[in-house]
Amino acid sequence: MTTKRPTIRDVAALAGVSVATVSRVLSGDYPVAGATRTRVQRAVRDLDYVVNAHARALSGATSKVVAIVMFNVTTPFYAHIAAGVEAQAAEADRLCLVCTTGGDPDRELEIVKLMREQHADAVILVGGVTMTDDYRERMHRYAKALEDANSRLVLCGRPAPSPDFPAVTVEYDNVGGAYAATSHLLSVGHRRIAFLGGAVGNTTFDGRDTGYRRAMAAFGATVDPALVSHHGSLGPEYGFARVGELLAAGTDFTAIFAVNDHVAAGAIRALRAAGKRVPDDVSIIGYDDTPFAPDLSTPLTSVHLPHDELGRTAVRLALQRTGPARQHVMLGTHITMRDSVRPLV
């Protein structure tokens, strides 16, 4: 014999309230007297009532899911922000759904569209992206659809495509971090600074390129095109290969600013393979301050990012329905000093 699943009407009858009141308690979006809320919650437990997610979707209610969309789950930059998102989502009694794109903007757009259809509470896009006009137009349309459905799109660690973009933006001072890193090298006497950059057009790596160039200009140092490189792959193999090329060509440089710590690690390995010492022969600074940075053969000086706070702030603002939909928060960065930089003066 099949036992009938309890309904919202059964919960209302047991709690002695209306169906509308039960709905308000379950959604959490409306004020309900404490005693009433307790009676409803007790009835839900006693009946083992489970919310019908399909019915909630039809009614326009959100699913209490926070979706985080990012390149992958293995790179520390993304993993640490995701940890902040998950922790804050759990505190807000939300389920965190992690989606990966492999860097494909079309895949990112499709995930946003799907999460809109699934009535996610919020969709958080993490990290930089290469924006085309088509991407901007489609993302603006999907962001507006989320807003109209009482959900929120959050850009985490990337700028908004336009000033009127309907989303919450939580950034860190990407340009400022690169400016500070390059300025630190310049302030201790380095002028021939190789820059190992990321893909041109990506919002994150364009910002780091901008910071590098601004610092060089501020100190009156010339940017030698031979010392500047850009690459789509940001693993240690890129740093190893590029530094090997510079050394083989006899290019003069005394310092390296690497676009992330993985690239810096490859650069250090290439220098050691060529008999160069860090920092005695070449100084180096990374970016992201990943957990392995202190454990490299030479502990790496790196730009520290507020990973956890980025994730937590993204969730807090996304679920804060009383605030304006178009909020912007800029978090700071700082340099974590270790042993990979030597003054020339």
Side-chain angles (χ1 to χ4, degrees):
M1 179 178 177
T2 303
T3 302
K4 180 184 176 184
R5 174 183 288 181
T7 68
I8 193 170
R9 294 183 183 279
D10 297 328
V11 174
L14 183 59
V17 299
S18 68
V19 170
T21 298
V22 175
S23 180
R24 291 189 186 100
V25 171
L26 294 176
S27 70
D29 294 333
Y30 302 91
V32 178
T36 302
R37 182 181 298 278
T38 298
R39 290 206 310 275
V40 171
Q41 290 172 337
R42 184 181 299 118
V44 167
R45 288 195 301 270
D46 291 347
L47 293 172
D48 194 23
Y49 174 70
V50 178
V51 177
N52 186 325
H54 179 64
R56 289 191 65 179
L58 291 176
S59 70
T62 58
S63 60
K64 293 194 177 295
V65 167
V66 171
I68 176 171
V69 186
M70 55 190 185
F71 182 85
N72 62 33
V73 296
T74 56
T75 302
F77 171 83
Y78 297 104
H80 292 156
I81 293 177
V85 169
E86 199 283 329
Q88 191 66 34
E91 290 180 15
D93 196 28
R94 297 309 199 270
L95 177 68
C96 186
L97 177 65
V98 177
C99 309
T100 60
T101 67
D104 183 353
D106 288 331
R107 171 65 178 160
E108 183 177 87
L109 287 163
E110 287 304 312
I111 291 172
V112 173
K113 181 182 178 182
L114 178 62
M115 290 301 101
R116 161 67 178 85
E117 294 168 354
Q118 296 299 315
H119 293 258
D121 251 332
V123 181
I124 301 172
L125 307 182
V126 177
V129 66
T130 301
M131 296 186 191
T132 63
D133 290 340
D134 176 67
Y135 174 93
R136 289 186 180 91
E137 189 276 327
R138 291 169 63 192
M139 186 59 80
H140 194 285
R141 187 167 69 248
Y142 293 163
K144 188 65 172 64
L146 283 168
E147 184 181 51
D148 291 344
N150 196 35
S151 183
R152 288 277 172 88
L153 182 69
V154 183
L155 307 180
C156 184
R158 75 168 67 166
S162 62
D164 63 339
F165 191 75
V168 173
T169 304
V170 182
E171 293 185 82
Y172 59 93
D173 191 359
N174 192 34
V175 174
Y179 182 94
T182 309
S183 295
H184 177 56
L185 293 171
L186 290 161
S187 68
V188 295
H190 296 279
R191 290 297 180 270
R192 300 283 297 171
I193 302 172
F195 175 58
L196 309 186
V200 175
N202 182 285
T203 53
T204 294
F205 306 122
D206 281 358
R208 296 179 190 183
D209 183 275
T210 297
Y212 164 78
R213 292 178 184 277
R214 285 183 183 175
M216 294 289 281
F219 278 76
T222 300
V223 175
D224 183 350
L227 292 177
V228 176
S229 60
H230 297 92
H231 202 281
S233 173
L234 298 173
E237 63 281 352
Y238 162 43
F240 183 85
R242 178 55 183 158
V243 170
E245 291 170 359
L246 291 173
L247 293 172
T251 308
D252 177 43
F253 62 97
T254 64
I256 298 170
F257 171 38
V259 74
N260 70 16
D261 291 349
H262 289 277
V263 175
I268 291 175
R269 187 159 55 89
L271 290 167
R272 292 187 64 193
K276 302 287 186 181
R277 298 166 299 169
V278 178
D280 294 346
D281 298 315
V282 178
S283 293
I284 185 165
I285 291 183
Y287 208 115
D288 293 345
D289 196 17
T290 45
F292 65 78
D295 300 324
L296 293 174
S297 56
T298 301
L300 181 66
T301 294
S302 183
V303 178
H304 179 81
L305 304 185
H307 299 95
D308 184 76
E309 189 57 26
L310 279 165
R312 285 181 172 274
T313 302
V315 175
R316 281 197 297 267
L317 294 182
L319 301 181
Q320 184 181 299
R321 292 294 191 261
T322 56
R326 294 164 177 80
Q327 298 184 69
H328 181 264
V329 173
M330 178 71 79
L331 301 179
T333 59
H334 65 266
I335 300 176
T336 300
M337 301 291 187
R338 297 193 179 93
D339 303 331
S340 61
V341 175
R342 181 180 73 87
L344 291 186
V345 293

